[in-house]
Amino acid sequence: MTPRRSPLAMAVLSLVVETPMHAYRMQQLIKERHKDDVVNVAQRNSVYQTIDRLLRDGLIAVQTTTRDENRPERTVYEPTAAGRDTLREWMKTMLAAPRREFPEFPAALAFLPVLTIPEATEALTERLTALETRAAALDAELTDGATFLPRVFLVETEYQQAVVAAEAEYVRRLLDDIRIGDVTWY
């Protein structure tokens, strides 16, 4: 059976391939490196659940377990050969094959007439403001990161920047079309 792929599983495997580490350090590094923009680690438990799954699938193994004074037990994980191979396959697939995803925004657009025109306009204006704020943050991250990081570590931020800019432009056009009456409710 092929192990189930997920962005978080890919991130955990990538980190232990880089160097063996414990779960808390994995979560810290994901956040420190701003990878929590692309991998959901909001719930610390999700990292532990992913580790359990990777262990069960034989993709990682326990390297050591230690307990320092007045500290909880700390288990350090390392990749298995199967884990390294699986990670490479997942990466090639994730890069090569677009996957059908179901984000909330297109779903909300599909049922837009549930709202009144003023409600839709207000919500879309809020979204546009949030997108513009996000675009500015991504621009700053790229400007700051470009000074000391090789570009390969910034490509997901470049992608996010392009997606946010495209979505902001789409929302601007949609708002304009709603305001001039090119998008009408039934």
Side-chain angles (χ1 to χ4, degrees):
M1 182 169 91
T2 303
R4 186 171 51 91
R5 179 180 84 223
S6 74
L8 184 52
M10 183 265 317
V12 168
L13 270 174
S14 294
L15 289 170
V16 297
V17 163
E18 182 180 320
T19 187
M21 67 182 69
H22 54 84
Y24 182 70
R25 183 66 182 141
M26 291 176 204
Q27 187 174 27
Q28 282 181 313
L29 279 177
I30 289 169
K31 289 180 178 181
E32 285 173 16
R33 294 175 180 178
H34 302 282
K35 304 306 182 194
D36 55 333
D37 289 342
V38 294
V39 177
N40 185 1
V41 291
Q43 301 293 322
R44 189 172 69 188
N45 194 37
S46 60
V47 172
Y48 289 99
Q49 290 171 344
T50 299
I51 288 170
D52 287 344
R53 184 167 51 86
L54 294 172
L55 278 166
R56 186 178 58 245
D57 291 343
L59 302 180
I60 62 174
V62 172
Q63 183 188 58
T64 59
T65 301
T66 59
R67 182 181 206 109
D68 295 334
E69 265 186 53
N70 300 325
R71 302 293 253 173
E73 189 174 83
R74 183 167 282 177
T75 303
V76 173
Y77 302 94
E78 64 185 354
T80 63
R84 288 177 188 277
D85 292 343
T86 298
L87 175 61
R88 293 178 61 76
E89 288 306 310
W90 284 354
M91 290 294 298
K92 289 189 278 185
T93 300
M94 292 167 85
L95 288 171
R99 187 172 181 191
R100 242 181 116 194
E101 298 173 316
F102 300 96
E104 290 182 347
F105 184 56
L109 289 173
F111 300 100
L112 191 60
V114 168
L115 300 177
T116 65
I117 290 174
E119 289 172 328
T121 302
E122 180 182 352
L124 288 167
T125 301
E126 285 179 36
R127 184 177 195 90
L128 181 56
T129 300
L131 289 168
E132 289 168 344
T133 301
R134 180 73 179 129
L138 289 167
D139 288 344
E141 188 175 325
L142 284 171
T143 301
D144 295 343
T147 59
F148 68 91
L149 287 175
R151 183 168 175 226
V152 71
F153 294 109
L154 299 170
V155 293
E156 85 278 359
T157 305
E158 290 174 1
Y159 172 77
Q160 288 176 325
Q161 181 186 43
V163 169
V164 168
E167 184 177 332
E169 181 55 32
Y170 172 80
V171 172
R172 266 188 219 94
R173 284 193 325 267
L174 179 58
L175 279 166
D176 289 345
D177 289 348
I178 290 170
R179 288 180 180 128
I180 65 172
D182 281 352
V183 177
T184 58
W185 271 234
Y186 48 86

